[in-house]
Amino acid sequence: MICITRKEHFNAAHKLWREDWSEEKNIEVFGKCANANWHGHNFDLYVTVKGTPNPETGFVIDLKFLSKLIKERVVEKLDHKNLNMDVDFMRGKMASTENLAIEIWKILEPEINIFGNCKLYKLKLYETERNYVEYYGETT
Ligand code: NI
């Protein structure tokens, strides 16, 4: 088994806010991400696929295919968008980096796991240089 990773990038706006909480509590819990008039992040998404190299190509997965898949199915839906308002798969969810990674996994996993030799192994999503989440598809 060997892992291969493709990095993609997008910019998106969001706000972390609960209508059922007071303004004070929202600001206390979500800090700057509770800003009423939105704010943006420069997201870096690392998609790691694990598998065995195809004997003909030597590839675990064709990176051109993986890049196109991520761009078409994920980046185009998120880049320069408002996560709370514009993105169908984030509707009704808190626009946290954790939830975003989980939803991206749901989109990519079935598209990658169709090949017999590889599967989606890990998503690493940077919200800032210092804050990132890692997701392995485990729901508990
Ligand atoms: Ni934020």
Side-chain angles (χ1 to χ4, degrees):
M1 288 288 181
I2 189 162
C3 291
I4 186 162
T5 299
R6 175 72 190 181
K7 177 188 176 187
E8 298 290 348
H9 178 80
F10 56 92
N11 304 309
H14 78 158
K15 177 169 70 176
L16 296 179
W17 186 273
R18 293 198 64 92
E19 289 295 339
D20 55 337
W21 287 0
S22 67
E23 187 178 346
E24 292 72 30
K25 186 167 181 185
N26 272 292
I27 289 166
E28 182 194 324
V29 173
F30 298 126
K32 285 183 173 179
C33 283
N35 182 49
N37 292 328
W38 316 101
H39 64 280
H41 291 285
N42 297 314
F43 289 93
D44 279 322
L45 173 64
Y46 292 78
V47 177
T48 300
V49 176
K50 184 178 180 179
T52 51
N54 176 296
E56 287 183 320
T57 61
F59 295 163
V60 167
I61 192 166
D62 183 340
L63 283 173
K64 292 193 298 297
F65 167 86
L66 185 59
S67 171
K68 191 165 175 272
L69 175 71
I70 303 165
K71 281 180 184 148
E72 286 180 0
R73 300 296 306 277
V74 175
V75 173
E76 273 186 22
K77 290 190 167 189
L78 297 171
D79 193 31
H80 288 72
K81 298 286 169 56
N82 180 315
L83 299 180
N84 300 67
M85 300 171 77
D86 301 330
V87 181
D88 54 358
F89 60 81
M90 290 301 289
R91 203 150 289 152
K93 300 182 175 72
M94 291 297 293
S96 66
T97 314
E98 293 90 324
N99 282 343
L100 187 53
I102 290 167
E103 295 309 310
I104 292 171
W105 181 282
K106 287 181 196 166
I107 294 167
L108 293 179
E109 189 195 28
E111 305 285 343
I112 291 169
N113 291 19
I114 53 166
F115 303 105
N117 69 312
C118 66
K119 60 181 182 181
L120 180 57
Y121 176 63
K122 176 167 101 170
L123 294 183
K124 193 170 179 179
L125 182 60
Y126 279 79
E127 184 184 70
T128 71
E129 225 172 274
R130 294 185 179 85
N131 295 338
Y132 64 87
V133 303
E134 291 176 295
Y135 187 52
Y136 296 86
E138 293 162 351
T139 52
T140 53

